[in-house]
Amino acid sequence: MWPPSASTPLTTCPSFTPPTFSAIGLVPFNINPHYLDPDPNSKHMGETREQRILQYHEEPDTPSVLGLREGSMLLVEGNQATLLGSTKARLFQRGKPTTEHDPGSDLSFLLTDAQ
């Protein structure tokens, strides 16, 4: 358990610490499903997903993160990755500016470890 503190609200603490953060390894990058863009009119005082992903990339050797908005999906067949659906995806890569990708975009470059 991670105890709550003034800097770590209870809602961000997991109820347990998993033995590993390894996933099933289908792709060599992270997928952030249901990605939400920051809302400048929001009264929410917490961090946005964008801020959290950028903080994640402050750590060394962190893989890219593909933010999939509602209405999008990634089709991976062999060495080919294609963004499908009706909404764009946002790509976060450590040390690079974020990029937007339209439905139909070829994202196969994300399947190589040398991103």
Side-chain angles (χ1 to χ4, degrees), residues 2 6-7 10 20 36 49 55 59 61-62 67 71 75 78 89 93 96 104 113 115:
W2 292 333
S7 62
L10 182 60
T20 179
L36 296 172
R49 288 208 185 183
Q55 289 170 352
E59 297 297 318
D61 303 319
T62 49
L75 175 64
Q93 294 178 289
K96 297 180 182 179
D113 287 327
Q115 297 173 38

Side-chain angles (χ1 to χ4, degrees), residues 7-38:
S7 62
T8 307
L10 182 60
T11 57
T12 63
C13 293
S15 57
F16 67 95
T17 301
T20 179
F21 287 105
S22 296
I24 56 177
L26 295 177
V27 293
F29 57 93
N30 291 331
I31 295 174
N32 187 282
H34 314 287
Y35 177 79
L36 296 172
D37 292 301

